[in-house]
Each structure stands twice: as C-alpha cells, then as structure tokens.
Amino acid sequence: MIVTVTPNTALDVTYTVDELRPGAVHRAREVRHRAGGKGVNVARVLHALGVDVRAVVTAGGATGTAVAADLAAAGLAADVVPIAGETRRTTTILGSGGATLLNEPGPELGSAEWTALAAAVARSRPEVLVCSGSLPPGAPADAYGRLLASCPSGSGPPATWLSILDTSGPALLTGLAGKPTVVKPNIEELREVTGLEDPVAAATELRRAGAGAVVVSLGAEGLLAVTPAGTWQATPSTALTGNSTGAGDAVVAALALGLSRREPWPELLRRAVALSGAAVLGPLAGDVDLAHYHRERELVAVRAQPERES
Ligand SMILES: O=P(O)(O)OC[C@@]1(O)O[C@H](CO)[C@@H](O)[C@@H]1O
C-alpha cells in the first residue's frame, strides 16, 4: 500500500482566464474546485493508474468539508483527520502565459492534531510513505522527520521502509533527519536549500545529510537522479505546453510506484518523466493523460552520468 500524507491539505481552486495581467480585472472563463495539496494529487495520479493508495489529509471548516466530500466523490481511499482550523485554499490561475499560483499558508495544527495525523499514518501501515507539500504555520520544525522516522512498515524491518519527501525550504532540510529513501526538490528548491549552483553537487550534499537518493525536476529538461546506484538524466521526447501544476506530484507518484515494485532507476525515471508530461496535458493538478503516459514511456531518453569524485 502506498500512503500519502498532506499535513497542509487544500481546496484547489483553478481559474482559467485569457491572459493574466497584474492590476487588471479578469473575468474567469471557468472555475473548478477540488481536493488538493501535493499528497492528494499524488494519490489521484496513482488511483488513475489503478494502484492501491490511501491519502491521509487534514480537514476543518467549510473548505475541509468540501475536501472530504470531493475525495469521496473521486473514490479515493482517505483518512480524514479533523482539525479545528479552516482548511486553506490554493489558487491556480491558468492563462496564456502558463500557471500562476497563490497558496494560502493554512491553519495551525494543535499538538493533539499532529498526534492524530501521525496515528493515522501509522495505522495505514504504508509500504511506501509519501510526505508532500508545505507544512502549516507553527508546525514542529522536524514534523516530516518525525513522521518519516516513526512510520511502521507493513512489509518488513526498518531497513526496508521506503519513503519519499517532497517539500521545500526548512521543512525539506529538517525532514532529512527521517532518512527518506528519495527526496524530490525542483532545481530552484535544491539550490535554495544547499546554496550550491551545480545540481549534482547540491544533490550529493542532500544525500550526505540523510536522503537516500535525490531526484531533481529540471522542468522541460526532465529529471536528474543522484542515487546510491549511479547518476542519470532522463529527458522527455518533446516539450509540452499545458498546466504544469501537479507535474511534480506526478513524478512523485511514479517514484512511489517504482519504489514499491523495486524497479531499477532507469525504468523508474522513464515512468516518472512520462507521467510528468501526462500531468502537463491534464486539465487540473492530479489529472493525467494516460495515452501520453503509455506512449512517452517508450520514448524517454535515460543517460547515465559519469561518476564524480566525492
Ligand atoms: O503550498 P504547497 O503545499 O507547497 O503546495 C500546494 C499546491 O500548490 O501544490 C499542488 C501542486 O503541486 C497544488 O495542487 C497544491 O495546492
């Protein structure tokens, strides 16, 4: 079972406009609401692939009720941890220039709510645990580190626990204490937390600090993976335009699936690049174009990178 946990769950609101201009009035052509937050998107993608997945989310207030109802309507298995605060909204504006995001910080969680979240994760006995998204304000600095370290695996002794951490800034750095199997920053997030320009050097730094492997999103150039088995770059066959919101979550979904199947890295990266493109072609974050995914898996180029002196 793959389990995703999204402490700062959201109601994703997506507006479509012709062109986004700062300072102007926009009449939205379309407005869509759905349960979101990175871990929810990961679960949605896995569900679309027919994979057994469970989403652990927080929900409070009217937006929390809408999130829980949408998860049920989508047929996603979920553990909804009730919270006193109002679940946040995250807004995506899709215009001719691409996607612009406005993410609310979200409500604080009380210590009993953190305990309930950790208990829900432990109860689900993940084989692969995915920790995704920003932490809510006032979260314990090591919130992800604790969730990752305390996770009892359904599949064996601690040495076989598998986990993915997809977050940024201090939450990423402190989460490394939980020894995630893989972390998946994008190139800007990686440079920000390490202060290093070179992505291989920066990824190596995160591995030294506790990550098993580091998979870096390079945008249109695909993915770079620095792993115990070697370093690879995986490149898509073609550049795509569409809604890039959620493309990173599709990469995480592919990584979780590949880890659960113990796939070799080149195979896993092919799947991740193809699924990321499929997400760009999906209308909303969490949607994937499955026809593109199956076609593109055959076309992704994966190249081993030369070993460097450490
Ligand atoms: O504020 P966070 O937790 O970093 O990101 C939240 C979020 O912007 O990420 C997803 C795209 O990855 C959106 O669907 C979602 O609402």
Side-chain angles (χ1 to χ4, degrees):
M1 163 79 83
I2 297 171
V3 175
T4 73
V5 56
T6 315
N8 208 3
T9 307
L11 184 68
D12 271 357
V13 184
T14 305
Y15 293 100
T16 308
V17 299
D18 291 326
E19 188 194 350
L20 183 63
R21 281 169 293 128
V25 173
H26 298 82
R27 309 274 171 203
R29 275 198 275 123
E30 200 186 7
V31 187
R32 304 278 301 273
H33 297 79
R34 64 157 44 167
K38 294 191 189 320
V40 172
N41 296 340
V42 173
R44 236 182 245 285
V45 171
L46 289 168
H47 183 67
L49 294 175
V51 175
D52 204 10
V53 60
R54 194 163 192 88
V56 179
V57 301
T58 55
T63 46
T65 304
V67 162
D70 184 66
L71 289 172
L76 282 172
D79 279 306
V80 180
V81 175
I83 56 169
E86 174 92 21
T87 296
R88 66 179 175 149
R89 285 167 186 259
T90 46
T91 302
T92 301
I93 304 169
L94 290 177
S96 50
T100 304
L101 270 68
L102 286 171
N103 289 2
E104 294 179 9
E108 280 195 28
L109 304 192
S111 69
E113 293 168 342
W114 279 109
T115 305
L117 189 71
V121 170
R123 256 197 322 274
S124 59
R125 300 187 69 74
E127 185 194 356
V128 180
L129 175 65
V130 175
C131 292
S132 279
S134 58
L135 288 173
D142 58 347
Y144 275 138
R146 275 201 241 168
L147 278 174
L148 288 162
S150 70
C151 170
S153 169
S155 62
T160 66
W161 294 358
L162 300 173
S163 54
I164 302 175
L165 177 62
D166 179 17
T167 188
S168 54
L172 168 56
L173 282 181
T174 55
L176 296 176
K179 304 258 180 282
T181 314
V182 183
V183 296
K184 192 222 65 69
N186 64 35
I187 184 75
E188 292 84 23
E189 291 163 348
L190 180 67
R191 286 183 173 139
E192 187 204 321
V193 293
T194 60
L196 297 171
E197 193 57 26
D198 174 53
V200 175
T204 304
E205 191 69 28
L206 291 195
R207 289 199 57 225
R208 277 199 203 103
V214 181
V215 175
V216 189
S217 308
L218 304 171
E221 275 151 53
L223 297 173
L224 171 76
V226 181
T227 84
T231 298
W232 287 271
Q233 180 157 353
T235 318
S237 68
T238 178
L240 298 168
T241 50
N243 180 5
S244 58
T245 324
D249 304 329
V251 168
V252 172
L255 294 173
L257 180 55
L259 285 183
S260 74
R261 294 184 177 170
R262 312 300 197 265
E263 282 174 352
W265 277 101
E267 181 52 33
L268 206 150
L269 293 170
R270 230 168 255 127
R271 185 195 286 288
V273 169
L275 209 46
S276 165
V280 172
L281 297 180
L284 297 179
D287 292 334
V288 279
D289 177 334
L290 290 177
H292 174 86
Y293 165 60
H294 292 299
R295 255 193 332 267
E296 179 68 5
R297 262 182 87 185
E298 308 299 319
L299 303 174
V300 174
V302 182
R303 286 187 195 85
Q305 307 289 298
E307 286 300 314
R308 292 203 198 162
E309 295 291 314
S310 52

